[in-house]
Amino acid sequence: DTGAVNRSLGLCESAINLKIALACRDRLNQYKGVRVYMTHTGVDNTYGKSSLSRRVSVAGEVGADIFISLHINSASNKTANGCEVFVPITKHEPKYNEQCTALGEEIIAKLTALGLNSRGIKTKKSGGGRVYKFSDGTTETGDYYYVVGEPISRLGIPGILVEHAFIDADSDFLDSDSDLEAMGKADADGIAKHFKLKLKDDFVPASFDAYEVT
């Protein structure tokens, strides 16, 4: 699934997302007590795309603590720019919104340090197509984004969706591997700060300031 495309510059969301995700994984692996599970590390189009349902199932199979979906944004307004994070809307279980909002704020802080505009933490309710059903018999209109709401309703795992930048207006951030690597590292450092992770004892960075999570 190619996702958003900037044809004039040859930018494709799926390729960009994967580069960001791999950089995020590699950075997180430098911290203690972390195990990163990727829903894929490169899809062979011969076998088609990995469905959203299958990606959420992976989180359940590995017993994940959180599901993080990485994306690039697009809009009909070609001047729209910046990063934003979508978090769960459920009020029945406010802990999910609270935890994901705190995590999203840390990620946005790291991304804006790279020069990206902050569009903030957001929620988006479905038009009624997704309904949460709880054990006490109550129901609630669910999240618009499957990867935000479904991990909660099916697995009890919090989920967030990170929109790093816009494929058109933010193309200067998306057209070099070094910038994409920086975004992945920013995601990881935001995650590390939220979960109070510490670097591995045997890790000696070239410049500690660049890796320090405060």
Side-chain angles (χ1 to χ4, degrees):
D1 187 353
T2 56
V5 175
N6 182 326
R7 298 189 186 283
S8 63
L9 295 178
L11 300 176
C12 175
E13 182 186 4
S14 59
I16 290 171
N17 291 344
L18 184 58
K19 289 178 180 179
I20 293 173
L22 292 172
C24 180
R25 177 200 64 184
D26 292 346
R27 172 80 85 157
L28 280 173
N29 283 335
Q30 295 165 354
Y31 289 94
K32 298 177 183 178
V34 176
R35 180 170 293 176
V36 181
Y37 295 94
M38 302 280 286
T39 56
H40 73 86
T41 54
V43 175
D44 182 342
N45 291 329
T46 301
Y47 302 103
K49 68 181 183 180
S50 176
S51 70
L52 296 179
S53 178
R54 175 62 194 143
R55 297 179 196 202
V56 171
S57 293
V58 170
E61 290 165 8
V62 301
D65 294 305
I66 192 162
F67 185 98
I68 300 175
S69 189
L70 306 181
H71 292 265
I72 298 300
N73 222 334
S74 65
S76 56
N77 176 7
K78 301 305 181 183
T79 64
N81 66 92
C83 57
E84 58 193 20
V85 175
F86 285 88
V87 302
I89 201 167
T90 176
K91 293 179 173 59
H92 185 87
E93 293 284 355
K95 64 181 181 181
Y96 292 116
N97 179 277
E98 293 165 2
Q99 177 183 350
C100 291
T101 295
L103 172 58
E105 288 173 346
E106 298 294 359
I107 291 175
I108 284 180
K110 297 296 183 181
L111 289 172
T112 55
L114 301 178
L116 287 157
N117 174 49
S118 172
R119 295 168 62 89
I121 305 297
K122 298 186 176 182
T123 59
K124 187 173 183 179
K125 184 178 292 189
S126 75
R130 184 165 297 112
V131 177
Y132 298 147
K133 298 179 181 179
F134 301 99
S135 58
D136 62 3
T138 60
T139 62
E140 179 182 41
T141 301
D143 292 273
Y144 174 84
Y145 290 109
Y146 187 94
V147 292
V148 173
E150 195 65 14
I152 293 173
S153 61
R154 198 199 314 172
L155 304 169
I157 297 172
I160 68 170
L161 187 153
V162 181
E163 295 279 14
H164 293 84
F166 281 77
I167 197 78
D168 292 303
D170 292 317
S171 59
D172 287 350
F173 288 94
L174 306 176
D175 61 359
S176 79
D177 287 348
S178 61
D179 287 341
L180 299 181
E181 181 181 4
M183 288 184 185
K185 290 178 177 178
D187 291 336
D189 288 345
I191 294 166
K193 184 174 180 182
H194 173 73
F195 287 105
K196 298 180 173 58
L197 304 178
K198 302 295 183 182
L199 288 166
K200 292 178 179 177
D201 294 335
D202 59 354
F203 178 66
V204 182
S207 173
F208 185 80
D209 288 343
Y211 287 78
E212 188 173 14
V213 179
T214 58

